[in-house]
Amino acid sequence: MKKRSLLFTTGLLLIVSLFLSACSNEAANDANQSAERETPKFISLLTGGTGGTYYPLGGAFANIISEKTGIETNAETSGASAENLTTLKDGNAEIAFTQTDIAAYAKDGEQMFENVKVDNVQAIGTLYRETIQIVTTKKSGIKSIEDLKGKKVSVGAPGSGVVPNAEQILEVHGMTFADIARKDLSFDESTAGIQDGTIDAAFVTAGTPTGAIEGLSATEDIVILPIAQDKIDALIEKYPYYIQDEVPKGTYKLAETVPTVAVQAMLVVRKDLSEDLVYDITKAIFENLDQVTHAKAKMIKAENALRGVGIEVHPGALKYFNEKGIKAE
């Protein structure tokens, strides 16, 4: 009887020992995996098409992050805002550019994110205005948004934030996509199409000057269609993430300043990135903007980064801004 009891006790102790060992190994593996998630060796920064503003800025930001954090960071081309948020949702990148309005749609499950809310993305901060530029040429004869009826018009690449911008601007002019021959083209494809005559006009939402439009202005007399003040007021009243803006005289050789509207560009990250990592990324970008040669860098200021964000800010970014005495408005 004693022998049987001893064997049972020994067996029980062996089982407990194996269980504790397994738990210890699992905890160690979890800790190692967590550490890897918190300090990745490589980061993907999603931008947009090569003809927009996200791409050159993203390249400069990637270089800064790589240099200042020691983490290899690669700027990748993409379909821009909406596609970028979907990619972050799927866990296939770490940082991305997007428009503030598109981030709001993603958070609330609206527009292109209906029934597919993006709940794993937080903001680093806003950067600069994304001006809505409705581009055509003098030879097209198009002088107003109403003149777009029946014309071949690009409303942005599939998955970009330009599509809802175009839809909403047409809406306040009493129009829909049914009133135009809609084309879904990137900025470069749009300006190439205008140049070769396969499309008549294009909506471009990007910081000015926009590379693709500058390229077109080298060979064509550019026209940016104005938005009348009453239409601007109606748009902002219904969609408050818009702000009044303009394309300055001289841009693309324009003879006059053109009134329009804008949303804001922002940087977002996956919320599972560690506070320390996002703090380092935020600090690296905002304290080394002098290394960015693109004209938009002059508009990016830490003191403005928490204005109009519209979604939750990552704790790592908040830590940096709080250190600088910058609070959300």
Side-chain angles (χ1 to χ4, degrees):
M1 185 71 179
K2 288 182 179 180
K3 184 176 180 180
R4 184 182 299 174
S5 176
L6 180 61
L7 288 172
F8 175 77
T9 302
T10 302
L12 182 62
L13 288 173
L14 180 60
I15 292 170
V16 171
S17 176
L18 290 172
F19 175 76
L20 291 175
S21 176
C23 288
S24 177
N25 288 336
E26 184 177 348
N29 288 336
D30 286 346
N32 289 336
Q33 289 173 4
S34 176
E36 288 175 3
R37 284 197 301 270
E38 292 181 355
T39 312
K41 295 180 180 179
F42 176 84
I43 290 175
S44 291
L45 194 165
L46 304 176
T47 62
T50 56
T53 304
Y54 291 169
Y55 182 71
L57 275 181
F61 288 175
N63 289 337
I64 289 170
I65 295 169
S66 297
E67 178 186 344
K68 300 300 179 182
T69 69
I71 300 170
E72 184 181 351
T73 305
N74 185 46
E76 299 182 8
T77 60
S78 73
S81 296
E83 180 183 305
N84 289 353
L85 289 165
T86 299
T87 304
L88 291 188
K89 176 181 172 64
D90 294 340
N92 294 324
E94 289 73 31
I95 316 173
F97 283 81
T98 187
Q99 294 171 199
T100 48
D101 55 331
I102 306 305
Y105 297 150
K107 178 193 70 171
D108 297 332
E110 298 176 349
Q111 289 280 347
M112 69 287 287
F113 296 99
E114 189 174 359
N115 301 321
V116 286
K117 287 185 179 181
V118 177
D119 56 7
N120 67 330
V121 171
Q122 295 177 324
I124 285 182
T126 57
L127 302 172
Y128 58 88
R129 292 181 176 186
E130 291 264 62
T131 306
I132 286 91
Q133 304 162 82
I134 309 167
V135 188
T136 186
T137 60
K138 186 177 290 186
K139 68 183 181 184
S140 74
I142 299 171
K143 297 180 180 179
S144 69
I145 293 173
E146 289 84 357
D147 289 343
L148 294 176
K149 286 184 179 180
K151 302 296 185 181
K152 297 185 287 276
V153 182
S154 170
V155 298
S160 77
V162 184
V163 177
N165 297 152
E167 185 175 32
Q168 290 157 2
I169 289 171
L170 290 176
E171 176 192 335
V172 298
H173 288 82
M175 300 165 63
T176 70
F177 284 151
D179 293 304
I180 62 173
R182 172 181 170 175
K183 305 294 180 182
D184 298 284
L185 305 173
S186 70
F187 296 162
D188 283 329
E189 290 169 335
S190 294
T191 51
I194 291 173
Q195 187 169 27
D196 64 26
T198 56
I199 66 170
D200 302 299
F203 282 80
V204 173
T205 301
T208 56
T210 305
I213 305 176
E214 281 191 308
L216 181 62
S217 70
T219 59
E220 301 285 347
D221 290 328
I222 294 293
V223 173
I224 304 293
L225 301 182
I227 304 178
Q229 189 62 51
D230 63 325
K231 298 297 191 289
I232 290 175
D233 294 341
L235 190 67
I236 293 173
E237 182 177 359
K238 186 165 185 180
Y239 304 105
Y241 39 74
Y242 285 104
I243 55 176
Q244 186 156 345
D245 200 10
E246 61 183 28
V247 181
K249 175 182 177 179
T251 309
Y252 318 128
K253 305 175 187 175
L254 294 174
E256 302 291 340
T257 294
V258 180
T260 185
V261 291
V263 289
Q264 292 192 88
M266 68 190 302
L267 275 180
V268 294
V269 293
R270 287 207 326 260
K271 69 187 297 183
D272 65 335
L273 298 187
S274 74
E275 180 176 323
D276 288 345
L277 175 59
V278 177
Y279 171 87
D280 290 342
I281 290 170
T282 306
K283 182 175 182 178
I285 291 171
F286 283 94
E287 295 193 357
N288 293 280
L289 290 168
D290 59 327
Q291 296 183 24
V292 183
T293 58
H294 193 282
K296 277 299 174 198
K298 296 178 181 179
M299 298 182 66
I300 303 172
K301 300 181 185 300
E303 55 265 34
N304 298 331
L306 298 181
R307 294 179 181 172
V309 172
I311 64 172
E312 188 177 359
V313 180
H314 193 285
L318 274 180
K319 179 181 177 182
Y320 172 76
F321 294 125
N322 287 340
E323 284 182 359
K324 296 294 182 182
I326 301 164
K327 305 294 182 182
E329 296 185 357

